[in-house]
């Protein structure tokens, strides 16, 4: 029995045709919503309360732990078998891309919730609890333990049969994707926002038919998972373009309405964008680009929102080709920092306009008055936050880590491009601050490229290279000693002087000298390896205090969402 049979049994058809009584409900106010979100994602007790489910999933093949096989994400004989998946009938937005998928999904989901829709959102990976991957309804909170456990118990027998018939080939991601889709059906969501896991063409999420796909979004194309996606930027673009479907012809009185759009985030290299546009054109789908000349987005300044930095932005989208859409949003206050997050916000705004443009079409198909107002777009953008994306810890959280008075920034950057975005964000928010980096990375990342980007900031007091489990396992963990060799080589390439100095050596120097006699800010960058994340952060804080005194300094924890997860777990403990 193939998984498509299993899923057919698992899924009752999505019934999205019941009318909405009102499309004016609002998600909770900002401060309450942020509080509830972070409480809901704390993950405390999840392992024990969902032990049967998590044990079941952990017995399946998990490519987040082991790494993705070569060619697995390509549309070739080496690619994942989509015969093990089948389509569910539901209106959806499908998002692929190297970076920005999760943020764009969060922005768009909150926009739709602000308009009053019940939204199913599926993303990966998670930081604290696997529940973060699924949200259902109008609140945006992770799915409850009760809902997941209840669904798992109802379908466990079918899962067992599928695993047996597939001879162990079903993966953790495939099964959890099926669970998410089944939950969306059960809860009768109005629309689902779905993030692809790897690539697009052969991703387990790519089972949505053209008749049920409203918008495809491709955020960026970068050199990540090269082996799994064919070995070049061109092959990656082809793989990600696999989520684009045939334009959907819909009869509305005497008109044929083509209701499938492709939104490009970008910016893309010209030949990469041409690959994406050619694919869309061949499938009669309309393309909108968040980087079109008529779209003007800019960061106007910084301010504080609930005690944390936010950026004031203008988002102006003017589309004249293929469809007429225009929106001006001034002084949008984004808690998600950086020019890359502004680009993600603009991409989500373009997708919202696509949905709005399909309003009459969707009335015909789904029997309710579909709309997305300017006010809902603003509200959704301003009320979006994600763990581990330019996340500044509160003073209470820093205190829980034993770092009284420290400024701590958590960011899951793990590519060369995201490292540059992180450096730019820090430069924008704290232009005079000196930095201590605490870095842990997975083994399949570009360690040298990541190091070069952050060393180029020329603001580093110290870099601590440490180790954390990746997806709860050590098989993809990079040893700190391996990272050190990459950082030493990178420092030579960018011309940064470093001191290959162990943690204990520096702590001894603090014991032997007064604070005022320790190296001044212009001293060389200290490079150290340390297996303990907590020790790395505490000694890093000592270095900042010793060298900087009352001047601003930031401890930046980065390199992987998994190191972010480790810090947040330490706070809870």
């Amino acid at each position: 029995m193939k998984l498509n049979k299993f899923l057919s049994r698992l899924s009752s058809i999505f019934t999205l045709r019941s009318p909405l009584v009102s499309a004016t409900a609002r998600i909770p106010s900002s401060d309450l919503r942020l509080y509830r979100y972070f409480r809901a994602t704390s993950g405390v007790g999840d392992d024990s309360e969902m032990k049967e489910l998590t044990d079941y999933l952990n017995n399946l093949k998990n490519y987040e732990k082991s790494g993705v096989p070569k060619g697995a994400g390509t549309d070739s004989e080496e690619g994942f078998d989509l015969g093990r998946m089948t389509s569910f009938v539901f209106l959806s937005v499908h998002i692929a891309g190297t970076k920005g998928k999760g943020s764009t999904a969060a922005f768009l989901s909150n926009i739709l919730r602000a308009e009053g829709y019940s939204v199913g959102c599926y993303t990966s990976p998670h930081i604290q609890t696997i529940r973060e991957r699924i949200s259902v309804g109008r609140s945006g909170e992770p799915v409850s333990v009760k809902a997941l456990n209840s669904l798992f118990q109802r379908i466990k027998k079918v899962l067992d049969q599928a695993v047996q018939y597939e001879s162990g080939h079903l993966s953790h991601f495939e099964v959890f994707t099926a669970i998410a889709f089944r939950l969306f059906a059960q809860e009768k969501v109005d629309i689902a926002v779905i993030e692809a896991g790897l690539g697009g063409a052969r991703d387990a999420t790519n089972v949505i038919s053209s008749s049920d796909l409203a918008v495809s979004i491709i955020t960026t194309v970068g050199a990540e998972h090269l082996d799994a996606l064919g070995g070049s930027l061109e092959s990656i673009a082809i793989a990600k373009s696999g989520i684009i479907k045939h334009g959907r012809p819909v009869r509305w009185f005497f008109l044929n309405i083509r209701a499938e759009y492709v939104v490009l985030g970008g910016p893309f290299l010209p030949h990469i964008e041409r690959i994406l546009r050619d694919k869309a054109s061949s499938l009669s789908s309309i393309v909108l680009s968040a980087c079109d000349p008529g779209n003007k987005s800019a960061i106007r300044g910084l301010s504080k929102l609930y005690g944390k930095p936010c950026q004031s932005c203008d988002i102006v989208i003017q589309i004249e080709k293929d469809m007429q859409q225009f929106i001006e949003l001034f002084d949008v206050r984004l808690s998600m920092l950086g020019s890359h997050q502004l680009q993600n916000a603009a991409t989500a705004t373009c997708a919202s306009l696509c949905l709005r443009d399909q309003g009459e079409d969707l009335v015909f198909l789904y029997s309710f008055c579909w709309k997305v107002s300017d006010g809902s777009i603003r509200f959704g953008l301003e009320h979006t936050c994600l763990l581990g994306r330019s996340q500044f810890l509160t003073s209470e959280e820093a205190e829980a880590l034993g770092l009284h008075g420290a400024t701590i920034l958590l960011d899951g950057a793990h590519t060369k491009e995201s490292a540059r975005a992180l450096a730019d964000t820090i430069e924008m928010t704290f232009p005079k601050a000196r930095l201590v980096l605490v870095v842990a990375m997975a083994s399949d990342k570009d360690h040298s490229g990541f190091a070069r980007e952050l060393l180029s900031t020329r603001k580093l007091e110290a870099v601590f290279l440490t180790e954390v489990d990746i997806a709860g396992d050590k098989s993809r963990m990079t040893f700190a000693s391996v990272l050190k060799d990459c950082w030493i080589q990178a420092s030579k390439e960018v011309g940064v002087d470093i001191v290959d100095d162990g943690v204990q050596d520096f702590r001894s120097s603090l014991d032997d000298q007064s604070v005022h006699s320790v190296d001044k800010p212009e001293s060389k960058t200290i490079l150290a390896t340390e297996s303990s994340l907590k020790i790395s952060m505490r000694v890093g804080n000592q270095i900042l205090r010793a060298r900087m005194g009352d001047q601003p300094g930031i401890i930046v924890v980065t390199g992987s969402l998994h190191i972010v997860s480790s810090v947040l777990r330490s706070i809870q403990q």
Side-chain angles (χ1 to χ4, degrees), residues 83-121:
R84 296 201 296 264
M85 300 298 290
T86 191
S87 177
F88 289 75
V89 180
F90 60 94
L91 182 65
S92 66
V93 176
H94 201 187
I95 306 175
T98 302
K99 301 296 296 179
K101 299 188 297 295
S103 297
T104 302
F107 280 129
L108 182 58
S109 296
N110 280 333
I111 289 169
L112 295 171
R113 293 186 189 107
E115 192 61 52
Y117 298 111
S118 175
V119 180
C121 184

Side-chain angles (χ1 to χ4, degrees), residues 167-326:
S167 303
H169 293 298
L170 285 181
S171 70
H172 180 293
F173 187 75
E174 284 175 315
V175 169
F176 203 66
T177 299
I179 289 173
F181 285 10
R182 180 62 186 88
L183 190 65
F184 295 161
Q186 172 183 297
E187 298 300 320
K188 295 182 174 62
V189 300
D190 300 316
I191 187 168
V193 179
I194 297 167
E195 175 190 345
L198 175 74
R202 290 297 183 98
D203 188 72
T205 62
N206 196 30
V207 293
I208 306 159
S209 68
S210 59
S211 61
D212 302 307
L213 180 65
V215 182
S216 298
I217 302 174
I218 300 176
T219 56
T220 58
V221 172
E224 189 176 15
H225 300 299
L226 275 172
D227 287 344
L229 297 175
S232 69
L233 282 180
E234 292 78 9
S235 64
I236 291 174
I238 292 170
K240 295 186 186 303
S241 72
I243 70 168
I244 300 173
K245 303 295 193 300
H246 278 282
R248 177 182 61 203
V250 177
R251 174 68 65 177
W252 177 248
F253 290 101
F254 300 105
L255 300 176
N256 282 324
I257 302 173
R258 191 173 56 190
E260 205 265 294
Y261 294 86
V262 178
V263 173
L264 302 182
F268 300 96
L269 294 172
H271 71 290
I272 297 299
E273 182 167 343
R274 177 47 52 196
I275 290 172
L276 302 177
R277 286 183 175 273
D278 286 348
K279 178 62 176 290
S281 177
S282 69
L283 296 175
S284 301
S285 292
I286 300 171
V287 176
L288 284 79
S289 173
C291 291
D292 276 352
N295 301 342
K296 307 294 183 183
S297 299
I299 299 173
R300 296 303 183 192
L302 295 171
S303 60
K304 291 281 187 178
L305 184 65
Y306 311 114
K308 295 183 179 181
C310 73
Q311 56 189 24
S312 175
C313 305
D314 294 342
I315 299 176
V316 177
I317 307 294
Q318 184 173 1
I319 300 167
E320 297 179 350
K321 187 178 180 181
D322 293 323
M323 57 183 290
Q324 298 292 319
Q325 287 291 341
F326 178 75

Side-chain angles (χ1 to χ4, degrees), residues 14 26 37 77 97 106 124 179-180 188 302 337 343 363 381 398 415 421 447 480 494 496 503:
F14 255 101
R26 292 287 181 177
Y37 177 83
E77 292 183 359
S124 61
I179 289 173
K188 295 182 174 62
L302 295 171
L337 300 178
Q343 184 66 22
V363 167
L381 296 178
T415 67
H447 306 136
V494 299
V496 172
V503 172

Side-chain angles (χ1 to χ4, degrees), residues 54 75 78 102 199 201 263 265 286 293 307 321 356 362 407 413 423 520 532 537 548 550 567:
T54 55
D75 197 8
E78 296 177 312
V263 173
I286 300 171
K321 187 178 180 181
R356 184 158 75 187
L362 298 177
T407 300
K520 296 297 187 291
S532 169
M537 296 178 69
M548 303 304 299
D550 295 331
V567 173

Side-chain angles (χ1 to χ4, degrees), residues 5-62:
K5 295 181 181 178
F6 140 63
L7 289 174
S8 295
R9 294 176 58 188
L10 190 64
S11 63
S12 60
I13 297 299
F14 255 101
T15 53
L16 299 182
R17 291 158 176 83
S18 57
L20 280 179
V21 175
S22 170
T24 59
R26 292 287 181 177
I27 55 181
S29 61
S30 304
D31 50 348
L32 177 60
R33 186 177 180 280
L34 289 170
Y35 171 77
R36 291 174 63 187
Y37 177 83
F38 289 120
R39 284 292 303 272
T41 56
S42 65
V44 176
D46 277 3
D47 289 345
S48 59
E49 294 179 43
M50 298 193 302
K51 188 175 189 306
E52 187 175 2
L53 171 59
T54 55
D55 285 350
Y56 192 97
L57 292 171
N58 288 336
N59 285 328
L60 302 171
K61 187 70 174 177
N62 188 344

